[in-house]
């Protein structure tokens, strides 16, 4: 039987700092800068996730705690099932669901309002690596979305992995100007309808 001993404590030294993620946001970017500068790189920043059976209120609390507006929805094997945004939680989706099916807000689960994997369009990391910030702005405007996911693969035949996230609020902040999208589309069909107009 291994015996465990407590570690010796000490006082925090005056002037101590703390470790921060490797990725730091630039103070300002231009449209001609590399797109990677405005991408949240999940190789350097931990993704914030939630399970599909959690309530929308739990999802909202998680977003507030982590200061994000998007959660990846994952299963027990860490497979991405979809995503849920602050707009999904605070917008019309919960009200429409209550009107349609009845029930109470506290009964609404993430899986009821998330955008499922089959409706998610993604950008490829190899394209993003060669792109400029202006390309990302044009993409977000065209799709009418607040976020865009970036995927990468370890090699040929390997499964996709979500590598990064673009956020219109983050890009707008770094550019110093608001990005005006076509409208917030919720599904691929709505994106197509927006683009057809």
């Amino acid at each position: 039987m291994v015996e465990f001993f407590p570690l010796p404590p000490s006082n925090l030294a005056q002037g101590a700092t703390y470790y921060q993620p490797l990725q730091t946001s630039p103070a300002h970017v231009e449209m001609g800068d590399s797109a990677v500068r405005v991408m949240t790189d999940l190789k350097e920043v931990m993704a914030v996730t939630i399970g599909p059976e959690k309530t929308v209120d739990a999802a909202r609390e998680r977003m507030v705690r982590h200061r994000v507006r998007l959660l990846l929805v994952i299963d027990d094997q860490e497979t991405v099932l979809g995503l849920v945004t602050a707009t999904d939680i605070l917008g019309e989706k919960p009200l429409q669901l209550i009107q349609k099916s009845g029930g109470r807000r506290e009964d609404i689960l993430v899986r009821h309002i998330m955008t499922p994997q089959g409706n998610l369009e993604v950008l490829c990391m190899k394209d993003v690596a060669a792109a400029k910030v202006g390309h990302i702005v044009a993409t977000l405007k065209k799709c009418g979305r607040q976020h865009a996911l970036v995927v990468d693969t370890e090699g040929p035949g390997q499964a996709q992995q979500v590598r990064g996230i673009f956020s219109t609020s983050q890009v707008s902040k770094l550019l110093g100007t608001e990005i005006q999208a076509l409208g917030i589309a919720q599904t691929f069909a709505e994106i197509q309808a927006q683009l057809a107009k």
Side-chain angles (χ1 to χ4, degrees), residues 43-112:
K43 278 193 167 184
E44 298 183 16
V45 176
M46 182 67 100
V48 185
T49 63
I50 195 159
E53 300 303 319
K54 297 290 185 182
T55 66
V56 293
D57 289 336
R60 182 184 51 76
E61 289 170 14
R62 192 159 178 77
M63 287 179 186
V64 169
R65 189 172 348 111
H66 291 278
R67 297 183 185 150
V68 297
R69 296 183 55 80
L70 175 146
L71 301 174
L72 293 178
V73 182
I74 62 167
D75 64 14
D76 294 339
Q77 289 76 43
E78 298 187 341
T79 301
V80 177
L81 304 175
L83 62 82
V84 65
T85 67
T87 303
D88 294 331
I89 293 170
L90 302 172
E92 295 178 9
K93 280 186 173 183
L95 295 174
Q96 290 171 345
L97 189 64
I98 291 169
Q99 288 173 347
K100 180 181 174 187
S101 306
R104 303 168 307 172
R105 179 177 173 82
E106 45 278 1
D107 298 328
I108 300 173
L109 303 178
V110 168
R111 68 179 164 85
H112 294 139

Side-chain angles (χ1 to χ4, degrees), residues 4-23:
F4 295 99
F5 299 98
L7 299 177
S10 61
N11 292 331
L12 181 67
Q14 186 173 354
T17 61
Y18 60 96
Y19 281 96
Q20 297 184 40
L22 296 175
Q23 182 178 4

Side-chain angles (χ1 to χ4, degrees), residues 84-157:
V84 65
T85 67
T87 303
D88 294 331
I89 293 170
L90 302 172
E92 295 178 9
K93 280 186 173 183
L95 295 174
Q96 290 171 345
L97 189 64
I98 291 169
Q99 288 173 347
K100 180 181 174 187
S101 306
R104 303 168 307 172
R105 179 177 173 82
E106 45 278 1
D107 298 328
I108 300 173
L109 303 178
V110 168
R111 68 179 164 85
H112 294 139
I113 65 164
M114 71 181 193
T115 302
Q117 170 269 322
N119 291 350
L120 292 176
E121 291 184 311
V122 295
L123 304 174
C124 293
M125 187 61 200
K126 67 177 182 57
D127 296 330
V128 168
K132 303 293 183 196
V133 173
H135 295 114
I136 301 308
V137 170
T139 302
L140 291 167
K141 282 183 175 184
K142 180 180 177 187
C143 292
R145 301 280 300 179
Q146 293 293 314
H147 299 92
L149 297 182
V150 179
V151 295
D152 204 357
T153 56
E154 295 292 320

Side-chain angles (χ1 to χ4, degrees), residues 26-37:
H28 182 76
V29 295
E30 301 292 332
M31 292 290 237
D33 289 344
S34 170
V36 175
R37 293 190 70 200

